[in-house]
């Protein structure tokens, strides 16, 4: 038993405990080691490229699924005659989809105010390489038709609120668990995917940095943040939410039954019945606990700040459960089903506002502070470089969140096999992610965008004139067409001229036009066609 200088008063503090909780003559809990081999579970070479590691999660099967469903959705959308007439769409391919995803990763790394700014060429200092890899209109088209599930499939369970992405969620969950094994210590916590649109299961969590959005229950490795399992909260099921936290933890930990995995959680989840059930399934658990949970020792004095001196603690035991109360700035209560009540550890605290001192605490509390950081680490890393462009479709935000999680999981797997050479080469997640984005991208545009516009071809005058067009009312005049490119009527619906968009805001620009370059599929005024030719050809 832990003894202070006033041990007699300590025993008085335990008056009111339930009869099956004891405060002395503790027995030692027998704990077994985690019985699975931590680390990468697939044949991943030590010098694996970022793309090789990422392909363990985003396999060719997944790429083919994305392409197939995107094309299916475009076909279904264009069945309406009015939309089919307006559409200028060609079926997406796997290389295009990979390039699209790579560019999305690049947008998370290099953040610009508006999406079209990535294709802006008017100012040399702010030019990007995005136009070299995919035209803006093609990127917007893929964004428009990106899809994960066939809306007309007969085998879809429409009662599932997540049916639009259920296949994708199940697939990447299986890939996460097949790629990497955790080291035996995980944390369970909520993560928020930012979304403020209309959604039946949108949540508000005032204590989170992201307060509005889709809530995800996440189980991740404590030391790295690697996500091994997750569930999206899709709202209340049935008439009550009683026992929700209990069921969430058991569902997340089900793949690890009998493995002696140690799961750490906060007071939203922790309860006596949960920890007893976890122990019966070969799982260890530890977490902070609320004073009003059923089955805990009952003593109102112990829940008050004045009941103990600062950094003092009390311990009680019932069977294999250990309960401790520690007085810090506020009272902290911790419950565990595997820690020994007589063992102690240390935590760092400030004294006199500056210096760090080590404070002796029960082992359960010290381990909780050490191993509860997994989900917070994941949120930090994903938040740094995640693709955050807005969308009215909630599933797009969820998709890009789990794309970022997939990138981070692949990074953790590659780092675990790469060792020192890996750390010396990349020196952090950002450099690795940059290489992954570049390796996914295949330049798909036929026109290159040089850093500096070249001089006009010798065969052209300083101010080349546009070629003739079908309509003389548009102000055209007869001139010899420029080689290999033709200007003519391309669109049924008027669009803003691409060259006019590139001039400074204070200069007058023309209105929308139905004319453009037939080969480049770009809207252009007839008068602007020569400028377009000199800029890109």
């Amino acid at each position: 038993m832990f003894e202070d200088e006033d041990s007699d008063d300590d025993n008085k503090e335990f008056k009111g405990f339930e009869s099956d909780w004891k405060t002395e003559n503790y027995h030692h809990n027998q704990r077994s080691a985690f019985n699975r081999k931590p680390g990468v579970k697939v044949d991943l070479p030590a010098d694996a490229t970022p793309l090789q590691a990422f392909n363990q999660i985003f396999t060719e099967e997944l790429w083919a699924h994305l392409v197939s469903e995107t094309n299916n959705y475009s076909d279904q959308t264009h069945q309406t005659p009015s939309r089919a007439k307006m559409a200028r769409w060609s079926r997406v391919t796997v290389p295009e989809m990979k390039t699209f995803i790579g560019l999305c990763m690049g947008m998370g790394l290099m953040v610009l105010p508006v999406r079209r700014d990535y294709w802006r060429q008017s100012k040399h200092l702010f030019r990007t390489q995005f136009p070299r890899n995919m035209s803006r209109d093609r990127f917007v088209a893929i964004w428009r038709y990106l899809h994960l599930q066939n809306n007309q499939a007969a085998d879809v369970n429409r009662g599932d609120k997540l049916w639009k992405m259920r296949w994708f969620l199940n697939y990447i969950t299986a890939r996460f668990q097949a790629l990497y094994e955790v080291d035996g210590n995980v944390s369970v916590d909520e993560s928020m995917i930012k979304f403020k649109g209309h959604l039946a299961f949108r949540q508000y969590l005032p204590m989170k940095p992201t307060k509005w959005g889709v809530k995800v229950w996440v189980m991740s490795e404590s030391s790295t943040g690697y996500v091994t399992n997750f569930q999206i909260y899709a709202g209340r099921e049935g008439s009550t939410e009683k026992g929700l936290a209990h069921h969430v933890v058991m569902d997340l930990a089900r793949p690890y039954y009998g493995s002696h995995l140690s799961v750490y959680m906060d007071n939203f989840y922790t309860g006596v019945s949960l920890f007893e059930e976890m122990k019966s399934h070969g799982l260890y658990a530890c977490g902070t606990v609320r004073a009003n949970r059923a089955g805990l020792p009952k003593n109102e004095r112990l829940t008050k700040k004045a009941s103990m001196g600062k950094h003092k603690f009390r311990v009680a035991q019932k069977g294999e459960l250990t309960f401790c109360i520690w007085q810090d700035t506020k009272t902290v209560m911790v419950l565990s089903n595997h820690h020994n009540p007589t063992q102690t550890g240390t935590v760092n605290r400030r004294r006199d506002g500056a210096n760090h001192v080590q404070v002796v605490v029960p082992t359960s509390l010290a381990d909780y502070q050490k191993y509860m950081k997994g989900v917070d680490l994941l949120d930090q890393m994903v938040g740094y470089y995640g693709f955050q462009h807005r969308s009215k479709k909630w599933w797009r935000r969820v998709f890009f969140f789990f794309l970022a999680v997939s990138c981070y999981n692949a990074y953790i797997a590659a780092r675990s096999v790469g060792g020192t050479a890996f750390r010396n080469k990349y020196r952090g997640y950002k450099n690795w992610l940059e290489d992954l984005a570049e390796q996914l991208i295949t330049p798909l545009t036929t026109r290159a965008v040089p850093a500096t516009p070249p001089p006009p071809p010798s065969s052209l005058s300083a101010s080349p004139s546009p070629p003739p067009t079908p309509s003389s009312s548009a102000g055209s005049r007869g001139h010899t067409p420029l080689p290999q490119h033709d200007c003519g009527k391309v669109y049924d619906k008027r669009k803003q001229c691409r060259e006019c968009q590139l001039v400074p805001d204070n200069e007058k620009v023309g209105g929308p036009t139905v004319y453009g370059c037939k080969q480049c599929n770009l809207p252009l005024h007839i008068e602007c066609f020569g400028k377009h030719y000199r800029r890109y050809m």
Side-chain angles (χ1 to χ4, degrees), residues 162 165 169 172-173 176 187-194 201-203 205 208 210 212-220 227 229-235 248 252 268-269 375 378-379 394 397-399 401-402 405:
L162 303 175
M165 54 187 326
L169 297 174
I172 63 169
T173 301
F176 290 168
S187 61
V188 171
D189 205 352
E190 304 100 354
S191 186
M192 288 289 287
I193 304 173
K194 186 176 181 180
F201 51 88
R202 186 187 61 172
Q203 296 291 299
L205 297 182
K208 289 286 186 179
T210 301
W212 288 97
V214 180
K215 181 164 65 175
V216 186
W217 316 106
V218 179
M219 184 167 74
S220 63
V227 176
N229 206 357
F230 64 87
Q231 280 187 0
I232 295 178
Y233 178 61
V248 165
L252 292 177
F268 175 77
Y269 309 92
V375 179
L378 170 75
D379 288 340
W394 65 269
R397 300 304 298 266
V398 176
F399 170 76
F401 172 81
F402 283 108
V405 171

Side-chain angles (χ1 to χ4, degrees), residues 246-262:
H246 184 120
H247 292 301
V248 165
V249 175
M250 295 306 299
D251 289 343
L252 292 177
R254 182 165 285 109
Y256 292 91
Y257 280 6
S259 66
H260 308 300
L261 179 73
S262 296

Side-chain angles (χ1 to χ4, degrees), residues 125-291:
L125 183 61
F126 300 102
R127 289 182 177 177
T128 71
Q129 298 299 310
F130 279 58
R132 291 182 180 270
N133 302 298
M134 179 177 284
S135 69
R136 186 191 68 178
D137 289 349
R138 185 57 174 169
F139 182 92
V140 171
I142 297 176
W143 171 268
R144 163 73 175 83
Y145 295 112
L146 180 68
H147 224 64
L148 302 177
Q149 177 62 53
N150 187 349
N151 292 343
Q152 299 178 357
D155 58 347
V156 172
N157 177 17
R158 300 305 176 101
D160 181 4
K161 296 179 182 179
L162 303 175
W163 68 269
K164 277 186 173 292
M165 54 187 326
R166 177 60 65 191
W167 184 93
F168 172 76
L169 297 174
N170 291 341
Y171 189 88
I172 63 169
T173 301
R175 298 310 305 167
F176 290 168
Q177 296 172 8
L179 173 60
Y180 181 86
E181 188 62 83
V182 297
D183 61 7
N185 295 293
V186 299
S187 61
V188 171
D189 205 352
E190 304 100 354
S191 186
M192 288 289 287
I193 304 173
K194 186 176 181 180
F195 184 75
K196 291 187 177 181
H198 295 287
L199 184 64
F201 51 88
R202 186 187 61 172
Q203 296 291 299
Y204 174 66
L205 297 182
M207 301 304 293
K208 289 286 186 179
T210 301
K211 297 180 176 12
W212 288 97
V214 180
K215 181 164 65 175
V216 186
W217 316 106
V218 179
M219 184 167 74
S220 63
E221 187 178 41
S222 299
S223 59
T224 65
Y226 184 95
V227 176
T228 184
N229 206 357
F230 64 87
Q231 280 187 0
I232 295 178
Y233 178 61
R236 177 178 297 179
E237 297 180 3
S239 59
T240 179
E241 288 284 74
K242 185 177 181 181
L244 172 65
H246 184 120
H247 292 301
V248 165
V249 175
M250 295 306 299
D251 289 343
L252 292 177
R254 182 165 285 109
Y256 292 91
Y257 280 6
S259 66
H260 308 300
L261 179 73
S262 296
V263 184
Y264 293 83
M265 62 200 77
D266 62 24
N267 57 28
F268 175 77
Y269 309 92
T270 304
V272 171
S273 61
L274 171 63
F275 280 23
E276 290 176 341
E277 183 176 350
M278 292 182 71
K279 191 63 177 286
S280 68
H281 288 288
L283 298 169
Y284 298 132
C286 177
T288 54
V289 62
R290 297 173 182 174

Side-chain angles (χ1 to χ4, degrees), residues 280-329:
S280 68
H281 288 288
L283 298 169
Y284 298 132
C286 177
T288 54
V289 62
R290 297 173 182 174
N292 60 355
R293 292 292 192 193
L296 292 180
K298 303 298 181 183
N299 190 318
E300 294 182 359
R301 293 183 60 192
L302 291 179
T303 64
K304 297 179 181 179
K305 180 178 178 180
S307 63
M308 291 181 290
K310 189 169 185 179
H311 295 163
K312 300 295 183 179
F313 57 83
R314 309 285 183 264
V315 180
Q317 185 182 52
K318 183 182 74 169
E320 295 179 320
L321 296 177
T322 299
F323 173 76
C324 75
I325 303 176
W326 178 58
Q327 185 63 53
D328 191 30
T329 304

Side-chain angles (χ1 to χ4, degrees), residues 356-374:
H356 286 276
V357 296
Q358 289 190 333
V359 177
V360 177
V361 296
T363 310
S364 57
L365 198 150
D367 284 351
Y368 172 82
Q369 187 182 63
K370 180 179 179 180
Y371 295 119
M372 189 54 201
K373 61 184 181 181

Side-chain angles (χ1 to χ4, degrees), residues 110 112 117 120-128 451-452:
M110 182 175 59
L112 294 179
D117 286 347
R120 187 177 64 176
Q121 299 295 308
S122 59
K123 297 180 181 178
H124 293 199
L125 183 61
F126 300 102
R127 289 182 177 177
T128 71
T452 303

